[in-house]
C-alpha cells in the first residue's frame, strides 16, 4: 500500500506522508520492523529506552481471533514496546497496529488500581477482602430474595479461557445458568442445535492453498487484519474471492465478485446463491432450505458467485462478524452451510475476539450443563437482579448498547471486574474489582483455528489489581462453593 513518499532533494530528502495524507493502514507498524536502516521508528517508544535495556518476554495478542504471537519489551516493570514474534503458522512475522500500539493504555489514567465500593452514591477505595465480601453477601441476598435465576454474568470474549471457565463455574455453583460471552450477538436460534464451537474450519496456514473463497458479512481488513493479509497474498497467487456485505471499504485486494446487499436482504441473497449452486451442480435441495429457496429469482451477482464456487477445487465459505451478529444469524448460518455442502467447501466462522472459540470450550454459554440459563438478550429483557460483569463496558461492547445499559442500571447489584474504570462503569456499578490486563496475568486464548496458546505475565500487576482468575477463585471460596 503506497503510504509514504520522498519530499525535497539530495541531503534534504525526507520520507513522510505526501501532501497532507495520513498513514491509514491497519498494519502500518510493520514498516518499523522492515525499515532496513532504522529510519522509521515507533512514535510512542522513540527516545524512551535503549534496546539493550529492555527485557523481552513472549505473549499472545488479545485483540482479535488470529492469536498473533508477540514479544513484549519491558523496562523497570513497565511495557515499553510490543513487536511480533515470528510464527509462520499463525502471524508469520507481522502484527496489527492495535497489537503494537495499544500498550499505552496499560499505564493510562483510566486504569483501575484499587477495589472500590459505592456507598451513599460516593466511591470509596477499600481492601480486597471488604470488596469480595460485599459481592458475596450481595449475591447471597439476591439469591435468597429472588432465587438463583435472578443472578447473571456477562463476560468479555477477550477474557482468558481460565477466567471464562471460573466465572461460569461460579454462576452455576450458585444455581443459575445465566452466563454468556456472546455480547454482540442478537440471534440465538441455533443454541444447543450444533455441536462443538464455531471455528474457521481450517488451519490459518492453509489459507494460501485455497482457490475459491466466499466471505459473508465482514468488514474484513478492520475486523481481521492478519487473516486479511494472508488472503491478499493468496489472491495475488490466483485465489478468487467472492463477498457479500452491506457496504465495502477498500479491501486492498481484487474481489472477483462483490455483492452489496442491504442487511435485511443477506439471507435471501444467500438462498439465491444456494439455488444457483444447486442448478450448477445438478443437485437437489430438500427440507427447510428448499422451502426458503423456492420462488426466488436468482440475480446476476448470485449466479456469478455460484459459478465461481462451483468451479473451485479447494473452497471455503466464511462468516464474518457482521453475519454472526446479524438479527437472522441462525438462518445465515444454515444457508452458508448449504452453500458449503453444495460447493464441497469448508464452512468457517472467522470469530470476533481472542476467545470466540474458547468461550464455547469453557462452557460460558447458557445452554450447556445441568442448569440451562438465559442468553444475553434474555437476561437484559427479563431485567435480572444481580449482574457480574467481567471486562465488559455495556454501551460499547454489546449489541444494543443503550438498552443493555438501562437494563443493567435497574439491577439491585452490579459487580464489575475490569482493568479499567470509566464514567459509565462508575455510574452503573456498586463495586469495582481491579483485574489485570493480558500483560499482567497468565492465561490461554483459543484462536479462530482452534489453536490454544498460553501466556504468562510480563510485568507485575499495577497497584492492587490482581489476575482475574485469582479474584474469581477467591470469590468462589468466599461464597463457599466447592472446587474453588
Amino acid at each position: 500500500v503506497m503510504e509514504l513518499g520522498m519530499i525535497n532533494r539530495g541531503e534534504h530528502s525526507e520520507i513522510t506522508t505526501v501532501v497532507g495524507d495520513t498513514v491509514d493502514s491497519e498494519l502500518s507498524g510493520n514498516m518499523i520492523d522492515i525499515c532496513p536502516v532504522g529510519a522509521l521508528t515507533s512514535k510512542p517508544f522513540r527516545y524512551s529506552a535503549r534496546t539493550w535495556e529492555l527485557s523481552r518476554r513472549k505473549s499472545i495478542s488479545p485483540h482479535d481471533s488470529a492469536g498473533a504471537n508477540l514479544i513484549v519489551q519491558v523496562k523497570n516493570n513497565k511495557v515499553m514496546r510490543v513487536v511480533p514474534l515470528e510464527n509462520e503458522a499463525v502471524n508469520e512475522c507481522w502484527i496489527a497496529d492495535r497489537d503494537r500500539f495499544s500498550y499505552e493504555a496499560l499505564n493510562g489514567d483510566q486504569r483501575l488500581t484499587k477495589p472500590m465500593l459505592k456507598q451513599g452514591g460516593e466511591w470509596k477505595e477499600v481492601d480486597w477482602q471488604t470488596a469480595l465480601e460485599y459481592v458475596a453477601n450481595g449475591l447471597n441476598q439476591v439469591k435468597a430474595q429472588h432465587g438463583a435465576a435472578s443472578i447473571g454474568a456477562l463476560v468479555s470474549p477477550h477474557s482468558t479461557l481460565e477466567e471464562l471457565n471460573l466465572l461460569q463455574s461460579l454462576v452455576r455453583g450458585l444455581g443459575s445458568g445465566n452466563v454468556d460471552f456472546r455480547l454482540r450477538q442478537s440471534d440465538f436460534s441455533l443454541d444447543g442445535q450444533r455441536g462443538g464451537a464455531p471455528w474457521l474450519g481450517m488451519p490459518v496456514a492453509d489459507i494460501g492453498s485455497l482457490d475459491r473463497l466466499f466471505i459473508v458479512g465482514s468488514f474484513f481488513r478492520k475486523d481481521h487484519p492478519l487473516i486479511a493479509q494472508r488472503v491478499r497474498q493468496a489472491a495475488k497467487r490466483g485465489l478468487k474471492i467472492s463477498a457479500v456485505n452491506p457496504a465495502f471499504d477498500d479491501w486492498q485486494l481484487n474481489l472477483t465478485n462483490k455483492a452489496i446487499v442491504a442487511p435485511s436482504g443477506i439471507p435471501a441473497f444467500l438462498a439465491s446463491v444456494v439455488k444457483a449452486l444447486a442448478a450448477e451442480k445438478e443437485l437437489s435441495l430438500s427440507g427447510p432450505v428448499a422451502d426458503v429457496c423456492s420462488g426466488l429469482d436468482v440475480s446476476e451477482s448470485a449466479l456469478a458467485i455460484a459459478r465461481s464456487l462451483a468451479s473451485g477445487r479447494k473452497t471455503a465459505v466464511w462468516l464474518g462478524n457482521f453475519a454472526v451478529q446479524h438479527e437472522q444469524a441462525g438462518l445465515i448460518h444454515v444457508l452458508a452451510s448449504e452453500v458449503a455442502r453444495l460447493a464441497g467447501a469448508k464452512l468457517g466462522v472467522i470469530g470476533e475476539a481472542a476467545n470466540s472459540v474458547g468461550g464455547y470450550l469453557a462452557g460460558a454459554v447458557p445452554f450447556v450443563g445441568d442448569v440451562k440459563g438465559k442468553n444475553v438478550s434474555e437476561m437484559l429483557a427479563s431485567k435480572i437482579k444481580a449482574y457480574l460483569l467481567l471486562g465488559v463496558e455495556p454501551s460499547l461492547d454489546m449489541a444494543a448498547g443503550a438498552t443493555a445499559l438501562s437494563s443493567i442500571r435497574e439491577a439491585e447489584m452490579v459487580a464489575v471486574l475490569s482493568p479499567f474504570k470509566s464514567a459509565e462503569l462508575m455510574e452503573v456499578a456498586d463495586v469495582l474489582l481491579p483485574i489485570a490486563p493480558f500483560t499482567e496475568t497468565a492465561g490461554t486464548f483459543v484462536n479462530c483455528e482452534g489453536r490454544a496458546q498460553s501466556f504468562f505475565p510480563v510485568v507485575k500487576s499495577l497497584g492492587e489489581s490482581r489476575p482475574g482468575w485469582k479474584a474469581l477463585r477467591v470469590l468462589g471460596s468466599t461464597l463457599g462453593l466447592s472446587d474453588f
Side-chain angles (χ1 to χ4, degrees):
V1 180
M2 295 303 293
E3 297 271 35
L4 297 178
M6 194 87 77
I7 60 169
N8 305 326
R9 293 185 178 182
E11 65 186 24
H12 302 293
S13 294
E14 204 176 311
I15 294 174
T16 181
T17 52
V18 180
V19 198
D21 280 353
T22 53
V23 177
D24 295 325
S25 166
E26 60 288 338
L27 299 168
S28 67
N30 294 293
M31 291 193 278
I32 299 162
D33 298 335
I34 61 173
C35 178
V37 296
L40 301 177
T41 54
S42 163
K43 190 172 181 179
F45 171 70
R46 188 165 47 198
Y47 311 133
S48 60
R50 303 283 187 189
T51 50
W52 56 83
E53 297 170 336
L54 301 171
S55 305
R56 290 164 177 76
R57 291 161 190 172
K58 295 177 182 177
S59 193
I60 303 295
S61 160
H63 295 114
D64 59 35
S65 62
N69 290 209
L70 310 176
I71 292 175
V72 182
Q73 299 184 344
V74 175
K75 180 186 176 185
N76 298 335
N77 200 47
K78 186 178 173 187
V79 175
M80 304 299 286
R81 182 162 65 171
V82 177
V83 295
L85 172 62
E86 198 165 328
N87 184 338
E88 280 300 314
V90 182
N91 57 305
E92 297 165 297
C93 59
W94 316 115
I95 54 173
D97 286 356
R98 55 189 172 209
D99 302 330
R100 189 182 297 269
F101 296 121
S102 63
Y103 69 86
E104 289 186 283
L106 296 172
N107 297 298
D109 55 6
Q110 284 206 320
R111 270 300 297 272
L112 180 63
T113 54
K114 289 189 172 176
M116 297 177 79
L117 262 184
K118 192 191 278 182
Q119 292 177 325
E122 294 288 310
W123 281 101
K124 293 189 170 71
E125 290 182 348
V126 295
D127 57 46
W128 267 98
Q129 188 68 27
T130 306
L132 288 167
E133 283 176 2
Y134 178 90
V135 176
N137 292 337
L139 290 172
N140 283 329
Q141 205 171 330
V142 168
K143 183 180 174 180
Q145 286 178 2
H146 305 286
S150 59
I151 297 170
L154 301 174
V155 49
S156 165
H158 296 278
S159 305
T160 65
L161 199 62
E162 293 75 5
E163 289 164 355
L164 287 157
N165 183 47
L166 281 165
L167 186 62
Q168 67 87 23
S169 297
L170 188 145
V171 171
R172 292 197 163 98
L174 288 167
S176 169
N178 304 334
V179 58
D180 211 342
F181 77 100
R182 303 161 301 166
L183 305 180
R184 293 184 191 275
Q185 206 165 306
S186 50
D187 176 14
F188 301 91
S189 56
L190 290 182
D191 278 9
Q193 292 186 39
R194 57 185 175 194
W199 68 298
L200 192 63
M202 62 187 294
V204 168
D206 286 359
I207 290 171
S209 64
L210 291 174
D211 63 359
R212 298 289 185 277
L213 175 60
F214 182 30
I215 300 172
V216 181
S218 174
F219 296 94
F220 197 39
R221 269 178 58 205
K222 298 290 187 278
D223 290 347
H224 315 287
L226 294 172
I227 290 174
Q229 75 84 20
R230 274 205 192 251
V231 169
R232 184 170 185 271
Q233 299 305 321
K236 281 157 53 174
R237 293 193 295 269
L239 168 62
K240 287 186 164 45
I241 302 154
S242 304
V244 55
N245 231 21
F248 281 89
D249 51 2
D250 182 5
W251 282 22
Q252 295 289 352
L253 47 81
N254 285 328
L255 286 169
T256 309
N257 301 293
K258 182 163 87 171
I260 299 174
V261 178
S264 58
I266 288 179
F269 182 84
L270 279 178
S272 61
V273 173
V274 168
K275 189 172 181 178
L277 198 51
E280 283 290 315
K281 291 275 197 173
E282 296 178 356
L283 295 167
S284 59
L285 300 171
S286 60
V289 173
D291 299 339
V292 174
C293 295
S294 67
L296 275 177
D297 292 328
V298 176
S299 64
E300 284 296 317
S301 50
L303 186 59
I305 290 172
R307 283 177 176 158
S308 176
L309 294 175
S311 63
R313 292 187 317 282
K314 193 161 185 194
T315 310
V317 178
W318 289 353
L319 297 175
N321 294 358
F322 184 79
V324 173
Q325 294 158 13
H326 195 280
E327 289 177 353
Q328 291 178 284
L331 180 56
I332 288 174
H333 194 286
V334 168
L335 291 165
S337 304
E338 192 64 7
V339 171
R341 181 185 75 81
L342 293 167
K346 287 185 169 148
L347 177 69
V349 175
I350 316 176
E352 163 199 352
N355 255 331
S356 292
V357 176
Y360 286 90
L361 303 182
V365 282
F367 56 87
V368 300
D370 299 332
V371 183
K372 301 293 183 280
K374 297 181 175 77
N375 60 50
V376 57
S377 292
E378 291 166 343
M379 280 189 237
L380 296 171
S382 62
K383 294 189 167 46
I384 59 174
K385 302 297 180 187
Y387 283 100
L388 285 168
L389 304 183
L390 176 59
V392 177
E393 193 144 337
S395 70
L396 299 175
D397 293 334
M398 301 181 71
T403 312
L405 194 61
S406 64
S407 180
I408 290 167
R409 196 182 276 125
E410 290 173 30
E412 287 179 19
M413 192 195 79
V414 180
V416 176
L417 296 91
S418 173
F420 300 97
K421 59 178 185 279
S422 67
E424 177 182 296
L425 289 178
M426 296 187 86
E427 184 214 335
V428 299
D430 299 298
V431 56
L432 294 170
L433 302 175
I435 60 168
F438 80 108
T439 49
E440 298 166 20
T441 187
T444 306
F445 293 138
V446 183
N447 77 349
C448 58
E449 64 178 355
R451 180 188 295 261
Q453 301 184 104
S454 294
F455 56 93
F456 295 95
V458 298
V459 290
K460 291 191 181 80
S461 294
L462 191 66
E464 288 180 34
S465 62
R466 295 286 178 268
W469 62 266
K470 278 191 178 178
L472 289 167
R473 189 183 62 75
V474 178
L475 181 56
S477 299
T478 309
L479 283 160
L481 305 178
S482 57
D483 299 331
F484 273 81

